[in-house]
Amino acid sequence: LLESGAVSSKNEVNIMTKNAVDVIFGGLSYWMFGYGLSFGASSVHGFCGVGNFFVDSNSTDMGDTFAHFFFQSSFATTATTIVSGAMAERTKLEAYIVFSFFNTVTYSIPAHWIWDTRGFLHQLGCVDIAGSGAVHLVGAVTGLIATWLLK
């Protein structure tokens, strides 16, 4: 709602649609690839996770797996929602859908660094308070890059 108050009234529905796109397409890409890159069964030298793509679970750990997935998915899609404010009123919906899909996957690598116990920043003692590193920094940097590309 903050974004829709910062744009002209004719673009409010567009902003709300883009927020829905973030959840739908960002959530889909996080389910397909992002969760596996963030919290895969194994780690590639602390850089990214490998495994757990297309998140599914057996009946013994289903609650824990899906609760963790949905919790982390909200952070992943929030990183992309930050970017939609930077690109407000300047992108076509079709291009933004593609961006939303891939930006969520991009977010997954720094999320592994910080939040997975095998991530290299986590092992160096990095503490992320309320997503300030993985969520807000990734959102800000990709927003800056997207704004620069739109110029």
Side-chain angles (χ1 to χ4, degrees), residues 60 75 80 85-86 99 103 138:
T60 59
F75 287 125
T80 303
F99 173 81
N103 192 60
V138 169

Side-chain angles (χ1 to χ4, degrees), residues 14 18 23 33 40 52 58 69-70 87-88 102 106 112 128:
N14 187 314
K18 286 180 180 177
V23 173
F33 309 112
N52 295 342
N58 60 33
F69 165 75
F70 281 113
M87 299 184 342
F102 287 109
T106 302
H112 178 79
D128 186 24

Side-chain angles (χ1 to χ4, degrees), residues 40-105:
S42 61
S43 179
V44 179
H45 305 292
F47 179 74
C48 69
V50 177
N52 295 342
F53 298 111
F54 298 92
V55 177
D56 198 7
S57 180
N58 60 33
S59 60
T60 59
D61 63 349
M62 184 180 296
D64 291 338
T65 300
F66 287 124
H68 191 249
F69 165 75
F70 281 113
F71 183 70
Q72 294 298 329
S73 179
S74 68
F75 287 125
T77 57
T78 298
T80 303
T81 302
I82 291 169
V83 181
S84 75
M87 299 184 342
E89 300 183 318
R90 294 182 281 169
T91 56
K92 291 185 177 184
L93 183 61
E94 295 83 8
Y96 187 79
I97 288 171
V98 173
F99 173 81
S100 178
F101 187 89
F102 287 109
N103 192 60
T104 305
V105 174

Side-chain angles (χ1 to χ4, degrees), residues 109-117 119-122 126-128 133-134:
I109 304 296
H112 178 79
W113 299 345
I114 297 170
W115 289 339
D116 191 282
T117 56
F120 81 93
L121 289 177
H122 187 273
C126 176
V127 177
D128 186 24

